[in-house]
Amino acid sequence: MKIVDKKLIILLVVILLSISTVLIGYDLDLKNQLKIYNMNKIVGVKSNKLVYNIDSINLDEASKTCTIEGWAILKGTNCYNIIPTVILKGKNGDMYKLNTRIVTRSDITKFYNGSLADTNTHLTCETIGNAGVTKYKNVYDNSGLIAKFNFEELKKNESYDIGIQLDDNSVVYFGWTKSKVQI
């Protein structure tokens, strides 16, 4: 009986240590996601190809976090490998880069493709020899974005302009939205 008890205790300790390690790692990862990075200048070209919208801005006083949700596309370019970034700019010119998560927005694909939209978005993937590509149709499903950050590092009672930056691995595009976040 004592051998079983020792094995059970060792097993429980290992499980508890494993769970603790996972939770600590998750907490550290969440803190990294909420970080704000100072910027000296904006990198990116302005273009009519860049189309975007900020859908919502939510401040949570209890957790001291702000969540910005929206979408951004490069017209005529599939969104599969495009990296979005949200930029904040204060009144004094200080700029901050926010981490973003990509969110599926098939409604954007449907809106921009109109009658050409269908559920077979995989048919527009670029392949060798363009096999399977549907002409005049682009997939914008990965155009949604969420930026969640800890606003304690920003100046209180200040308004920040919101910018969108998209990197398609060859050109970086940038534009200021009409939206602002009030901290």
Side-chain angles (χ1 to χ4, degrees), residues 14-126:
V14 168
I15 290 172
L16 288 174
L17 287 174
S18 299
I19 291 171
S20 298
T21 303
V22 168
L23 291 175
I24 289 169
Y26 175 76
D27 188 48
L28 290 174
D29 184 51
L30 185 59
K31 287 180 181 175
N32 277 340
Q33 288 178 11
L34 297 176
K35 276 188 179 177
I36 304 172
Y37 301 94
N38 286 331
M39 295 180 65
N40 295 330
K41 64 180 182 174
I42 294 175
V43 177
V45 296
K46 293 183 178 180
S47 170
N48 291 338
K49 275 183 77 170
L50 179 62
V51 183
Y52 46 79
N53 188 54
I54 300 298
D55 297 327
S56 67
I57 302 168
N58 296 307
L59 289 167
D60 184 355
E61 290 293 335
S63 65
K64 302 293 184 202
T65 59
C66 177
T67 305
I68 299 171
E69 296 184 38
W71 58 271
I73 64 169
L74 295 172
K75 279 179 120 178
T77 304
N78 290 331
C79 288
Y80 290 119
N81 294 316
I82 302 221
I83 301 166
T85 304
V86 173
I87 310 293
L88 297 182
K89 180 179 172 186
K91 291 179 184 178
N92 61 358
D94 288 344
M95 289 185 283
Y96 305 94
K97 177 181 170 182
L98 308 176
N99 287 324
T100 58
R101 284 182 294 137
I102 294 173
V103 180
T104 301
R105 291 289 302 266
S106 55
D107 60 313
I108 304 300
T109 298
K110 187 173 183 177
F111 178 80
Y112 280 98
N113 287 326
S115 63
L116 298 175
D118 60 31
T119 57
N120 294 322
T121 56
H122 65 280
L123 294 177
T124 62
C125 295
E126 293 180 16

